[in-house]
Amino acid sequence: MSPDETDLSMNSPSPIGLAAHDVRVADDLLSLGWPAKPWMPATTHDGQTVHDVIVVGAGQAGLALAFGLAQQGIAALLLDRAPAGFEGPWATTARMETLRSPKELTGPAMGVPALTFRAWFIAQHGQAAWDDLGKIPRLQWMDYLRWLRRVTHAQVRNGCEVTDVQPQGEARVALQVSQRQPDGSQVQAQFLARRVVLATGRDGLGGPSVPAFVRDVPRTRWAHSSDAMDYASLRGRRVAVVGAGSSAMDCAATALEHGATSVDLLIRRADIPRINKSKASGVPGLTQGHYDLPDAWKWRIRHYINAQQVPPPQGSTLRVARHPNAYFNQNCAVTSVQESAGAEGGASQLEIHTTQGVFEADFLVVSTGFQMDWAQKPEYATIAPHVRLWRARRPADADEADAELDGSPDLGPAFEFQQNTPGTCPGLGRIHCFCYPATLSFGSIAGDIPSISDGARRLAGALASLFYREDIEVHWARLQAYADPELTGQEWTPADSSLRVRR
Ligand SMILES: Cc1cc2nc3c(=O)[nH]c(=O)nc-3n(C[C@H](O)[C@H](O)[C@H](O)COP(=O)(O)OP(=O)(O)OC[C@H]3O[C@@H](n4cnc5c(N)ncnc54)[C@H](O)[C@@H]3O)c2cc1C
């Protein structure tokens, strides 16, 4: 415990409660002059409102950005297809007990102490509970994000799925949106925005990476680790999990906790990675300066982190290993999978062929991560062919192939997409990529907890600057028309200078 924390716990031995904390937040925001005064000209097109910024996605990235934009006096509308309070993976597809991130990180608090997870937690549970807390429970993080959304007054419309994104020249972007109605029906609507930000998460421009060996296996026999699925259905079944990353451990543990007969982890590597290299790269210099690095350095760092692979958290690994019916099979690459009739006419099963031999299982989970794959995002079909990718910019000395890096968008300084061939998709630069695929261009500042506020501040500032330049005629006219006197002319009497000077 730090000396400061000792003092705090002595000053407030019992929690102040969330209602009192909300008052503190409101006061802090008032002190910071938040939100800043609006200054953007209202825009319409054919009588329809053109929003200044529409953010697709109201996870932690979208929330942080909306707050950052409000600090710049810019209103943002957030659209999310998820129901309210279920944005992102935390309460839907994630299965870990706790976050990997240390509890002390300030995440999407945007530099406001009262908005941190720590402040929110202590207000409700007290200092002693904070000192005792190991890592942040997954669902508690979701609760925190729900609260953050409320106290920062984020304007979110849930149940709104963006189905098409169309730049309309150098003026605006049209979004086709399917809106879920209270009766379950869908209504189609068009939204217009001057700028659109895709804050769409880890699989923001793609989806699950699915190995070829399961493509012909009936879908009832396998799932990707990111699929929504009721793991109670695995009770009494033999399960195999491909992979050894954090999600593989979470899926294996969840299956075991739901009564799977056994779980075989099929691990291609001879050993499970032990060191999380991305932790060492997370210094402020990278956060602020990755974008300005020469291409060769950007590539080298990201490729190295990808190739080294991130180990599963220790807690997640122990959560699996404590089960006697969990088997860590290393050096075990899957070569093919078939559904076959069971022995002696028994129930059918999976035969999983590996470099170690054939495993028999009833269900397979592939925990093989995510990939950039526009085909999995039909909502971007209009723009996808025009987006310049790093493939076209790969440094000459990049000796090793890296599909993820090749497929990453080559972003401009405001996270904006750039055109493959200039002139073929005017307005593409009005769409900004604030999600995981921005990592090669900007470093990890567009989604993960450690630097999400840095990324949001950077993007909000860049958008304010772009808007100002675009509207400079309006601001010039306003400057000239400005006529709010600070003096009335009654404050002083002009002197008769002739009486004051020596002739
Ligand atoms: C299982 C898991 C565990 C993780 N654990 C950690 C961790 O411990 N620490 C850490 O720093 N990072 C972690 N991450 C990485 C990262 O922090 C999370 O992915 C986080 O959710 C990113 O926040 P986000 O706001 O960028 O995206 P998300 O939280 O994924 O939010 C994106 C939102 O966009 C919406 N959306 C997408 N497409 C559309 C569309 N077409 N129309 C409307 N809405 C759309 C989605 O519904 C979603 O709510 C984890 C990721 C995963 C998958």
Side-chain angles (χ1 to χ4, degrees), residues 55-63 79-83 86-90 93-96 98-102 105 138 141 145 158 160-164 199-204 226 246-247 250 370 377 379-380 434-436 446-452:
V55 182
V56 185
Q60 60 200 24
L63 293 179
L79 304 177
D80 201 302
R81 64 178 158 217
F86 291 87
E87 301 83 2
W90 314 110
T93 54
R95 297 184 179 87
M96 64 280 189
T98 64
L99 265 54
R100 177 196 285 272
S101 301
L105 294 180
R138 168 172 59 86
W141 182 253
L145 292 178
N158 287 97
C160 285
E161 169 148 31
V162 173
T163 56
D164 192 25
T200 44
R202 180 64 187 75
D203 58 346
S226 66
S246 47
S247 291
D250 299 335
F370 299 99
K377 289 279 186 257
E379 60 266 45
Y380 307 135
F434 192 50
C435 51
Y436 180 80
D448 292 353
I449 293 167
S451 302
I452 188 60

Side-chain angles (χ1 to χ4, degrees), residues 18-331:
L18 201 54
H21 187 62
D22 286 359
V23 174
R24 179 185 159 199
V25 169
D27 191 57
D28 277 1
L29 297 187
L30 196 65
S31 300
L32 288 168
W34 183 97
K37 252 177 39 196
W39 57 281
M40 300 272 295
T43 316
T44 57
H45 175 69
D46 285 346
Q48 187 180 348
T49 298
V50 181
H51 296 270
D52 294 331
V53 180
I54 289 185
V55 182
V56 185
Q60 60 200 24
L63 293 179
L65 178 64
F67 185 87
L69 285 168
Q71 282 177 317
Q72 304 292 340
I74 301 171
L77 174 67
L78 282 68
L79 304 177
D80 201 302
R81 64 178 158 217
F86 291 87
E87 301 83 2
W90 314 110
T92 51
T93 54
R95 297 184 179 87
M96 64 280 189
E97 289 175 326
T98 64
L99 265 54
R100 177 196 285 272
S101 301
K103 65 179 179 180
E104 293 82 7
L105 294 180
T106 56
M110 296 296 283
V112 180
L115 289 179
T116 57
F117 178 85
R118 178 182 180 277
W120 173 82
F121 182 96
I122 291 177
Q124 297 172 92
H125 309 291
Q127 181 71 37
W130 172 255
D131 296 338
D132 289 345
L133 181 71
K135 292 211 157 180
I136 300 173
R138 168 172 59 86
L139 293 177
Q140 197 168 36
W141 182 253
M142 186 75 244
D143 277 344
Y144 161 72
L145 292 178
R146 290 171 183 142
W147 171 81
L148 186 74
R149 164 182 172 167
R150 176 168 65 76
V151 294
T152 60
H153 307 288
Q155 297 303 305
V156 184
R157 288 197 208 167
N158 287 97
C160 285
E161 169 148 31
V162 173
T163 56
D164 192 25
V165 180
Q166 285 174 322
Q168 294 190 334
E170 289 299 348
R172 72 196 81 81
V173 180
L175 298 174
Q176 303 307 322
V177 178
S178 178
Q179 296 179 288
R180 196 169 42 245
Q181 304 301 297
D183 65 1
S185 62
Q186 301 283 337
V187 168
Q188 309 306 317
Q190 176 179 267
F191 288 72
L192 299 176
R194 293 182 62 183
R195 294 197 172 262
V196 169
V197 177
L198 309 181
T200 44
R202 180 64 187 75
D203 58 346
L205 298 183
S209 171
V210 175
F213 57 72
V214 287
R215 299 235 166 96
D216 295 330
V217 178
R219 204 58 178 87
T220 49
R221 284 287 187 182
W222 67 273
H224 188 270
S225 53
S226 66
D227 288 347
M229 179 181 138
D230 180 6
Y231 273 54
S233 65
L234 299 180
R235 171 175 296 281
R237 301 176 83 188
R238 297 163 299 165
V239 176
V241 175
V242 176
S246 47
S247 291
M249 294 301 156
D250 299 335
C251 292
T254 309
L256 290 160
E257 289 160 7
H258 281 87
T261 313
S262 59
V263 170
D264 277 286
L265 284 149
L266 309 178
I267 303 163
R268 185 173 43 190
R269 292 193 164 215
D271 196 4
I272 297 177
R274 313 250 167 123
I275 295 166
N276 183 354
K277 292 285 186 179
S278 59
K279 240 162 129 180
S281 68
V283 296
L286 177 137
T287 305
Q288 308 300 335
H290 183 90
Y291 187 79
D292 301 319
L293 282 178
D295 289 359
W297 273 112
K298 289 188 186 184
W299 190 280
R300 184 179 302 166
I301 289 171
R302 289 312 314 172
H303 177 67
Y304 180 70
I305 291 171
N306 282 353
Q308 294 295 306
Q309 296 193 323
V310 179
Q314 190 182 41
S316 309
T317 312
L318 291 171
R319 185 180 165 206
V320 179
R322 66 174 173 245
H323 294 270
N325 49 344
Y327 303 94
F328 291 73
N329 302 286
Q330 298 176 188
N331 243 331

